[in-house]
Amino acid sequence: MARAVIGVDLGGTTLAIGIINNEGRIIIQKVQPTPKSLKPDGLAKIVKENIKEFTANIASTLKLKALKIGISVPSFTTKEGEVIHAPNLGWINVPLKKIMEERIGMPVYIEHDVKCATLAEKIYGAGRNCNDFIYITYGTGLSAGIVINGSIRRGIHNSAGNIGHWVINEQGRPCTCGLNGCLETFIGREGIIKRARSKIQTGRDIGVDIDHLTVKRVFRSAKEGNVVARELVPEIAKDFGLAIAGLVAILDPGKVIIGGGIARAGEILFSPLRKVVKNNISSESARCVEIIPASLENPALIGAALIALEEKGINEF
Ligand SMILES: [Zn+2]
């Protein structure tokens, strides 16, 4: 009989809760907007209600391994299961593992969402059979999971892979982190929308109404052949590609796997990105690095469940 656990992917805008089995398959899941001003108590209540709903439906077909919960959070975490800083939730130093275990009465495992996603891609996805790769989540912001010799780099202060806040131009715009000119102010969701808006404000037609600008619409317009939207893509690919080339020069990975909402733009983004990376790496062998899309739909949810299922930390797989 398959084993399964509860996985929770807690994002700033979306909360996904599901049952995941030991083959990395999502048996059932519920995706809901993250309630405004959500607190750990509120999260415990929602998780409890969802578990009740799920188990009433499918418990008979699964051995729910005495129910355990793995939660991926949009923050670096401590080994004790504390959320260090999740700006989108307004949480600082929240002992989430302890609170959830007290409220729900089940073992709870907490991990940074990008590290969960990296683990899932490593076990089931595009990182299989590769001991050295970088996984990048590219959406509202950017963050990386760095796999070195098969182990996900955590860093001395648990903050390895914080590439969204890599300052690429200190004369740049202020970032939510307090610095100026971070990579994500240029190519994160808001950065792309600002670029598109400034093109419209100089009288150019990007194919999307200024009041309805989204990254998805801008990329769609580029795919449909709009000249102005098409100009924007290589600009984004240049900034992102140079950052990736820097990571490749330092770490010499076999693959750079890119997931997240913006990565779903597909070849229109990946094709110029590959060119920028290859043109900006001096080592001939490192230029062979594969730049590929992630292969799982919700790797953070699957990774969180994996940690709970196996009762192991990200570096013990
Ligand atoms: Zn920043």
Side-chain angles (χ1 to χ4, degrees), residues 15 17 32 35 38 41-51:
L15 171 63
I17 303 177
Q32 50 218 300
L38 181 72
D41 273 338
L43 177 66
K45 198 165 165 258
I46 297 170
V47 172
K48 250 176 150 170
E49 283 165 5
N50 280 215
I51 292 174

Side-chain angles (χ1 to χ4, degrees), residues 72-304:
S72 75
V73 294
S75 159
F76 296 114
T77 59
T78 64
K79 282 179 183 147
E80 292 72 37
E82 200 171 307
V83 174
I84 297 174
H85 184 202
N88 291 335
L89 299 168
W91 293 7
I92 296 174
N93 300 327
V94 174
L96 189 62
K97 176 182 166 69
K98 188 169 169 278
I99 296 171
M100 294 296 282
E101 285 183 341
E102 278 171 11
R103 302 289 186 278
I104 306 184
M106 295 171 193
V108 175
Y109 301 80
I110 310 282
E111 188 50 89
H112 179 209
D113 52 10
V114 179
K115 294 191 180 70
C116 288
T118 306
L119 176 66
E121 288 289 341
K122 179 172 172 265
I123 306 289
Y124 299 116
R128 261 179 308 175
N129 308 319
C130 186
N131 272 337
D132 288 86
F133 71 88
I134 300 169
Y135 171 82
I136 299 175
T137 298
Y138 184 23
T140 306
L142 292 106
S143 192
I146 299 165
V147 180
I148 301 173
N149 292 332
S151 185
I152 301 173
R153 172 89 184 151
R154 197 179 274 281
I156 299 296
H157 306 99
N158 294 305
S159 62
N162 197 9
I163 62 166
H165 302 286
W166 177 350
V167 175
I168 59 166
N169 179 354
E170 61 177 0
Q171 315 299 329
R173 280 194 302 270
C175 179
T176 51
C177 72
L179 297 172
N180 292 324
C182 294
L183 181 62
E184 74 180 42
T185 65
F186 289 90
I187 61 162
R189 198 176 301 280
E190 278 307 308
I192 295 176
I193 288 172
K194 280 198 175 109
R195 285 179 195 244
R197 191 176 294 132
S198 66
K199 287 195 188 287
I200 297 172
Q201 281 162 346
T202 58
R204 306 190 69 204
D205 174 16
I206 202 163
V208 186
D209 186 79
I210 195 161
D211 295 324
H212 299 97
L213 272 176
T214 63
V215 173
K216 205 173 168 181
R217 288 187 179 130
V218 171
F219 273 105
R220 195 192 300 144
S221 177
K223 280 179 194 166
E224 286 167 1
N226 177 283
V227 176
V228 184
R230 274 185 174 265
E231 277 173 22
L232 200 64
V233 181
E235 292 177 20
I236 298 161
K238 183 178 153 246
D239 287 344
F240 194 13
L242 286 176
I244 294 174
L247 290 169
V248 172
I250 297 164
L251 297 164
D252 189 18
K255 295 177 182 179
V256 176
I257 301 165
I258 308 170
I262 299 180
R264 292 200 186 103
E267 272 309 297
I268 194 164
L269 173 66
F270 278 81
S271 174
L273 195 56
R274 288 187 188 107
K275 281 192 192 119
V276 175
V277 175
K278 286 184 200 311
N279 290 341
N280 289 283
I281 296 174
S282 65
S283 154
E284 203 171 313
S285 48
R287 253 180 262 144
C288 299
V289 62
E290 285 179 60
I291 314 284
I292 53 173
S295 66
L296 302 174
E297 255 316 298
N298 191 344
L301 182 69
I302 294 169

Side-chain angles (χ1 to χ4, degrees), residues 9-35:
D9 179 21
L10 172 61
T13 49
T14 307
L15 171 63
I17 303 177
I19 294 180
I20 292 94
N21 74 5
N22 58 333
E23 288 159 353
R25 202 160 64 81
I26 300 172
I27 311 288
I28 185 170
Q29 75 164 322
K30 195 169 169 187
V31 181
Q32 50 218 300
T34 306

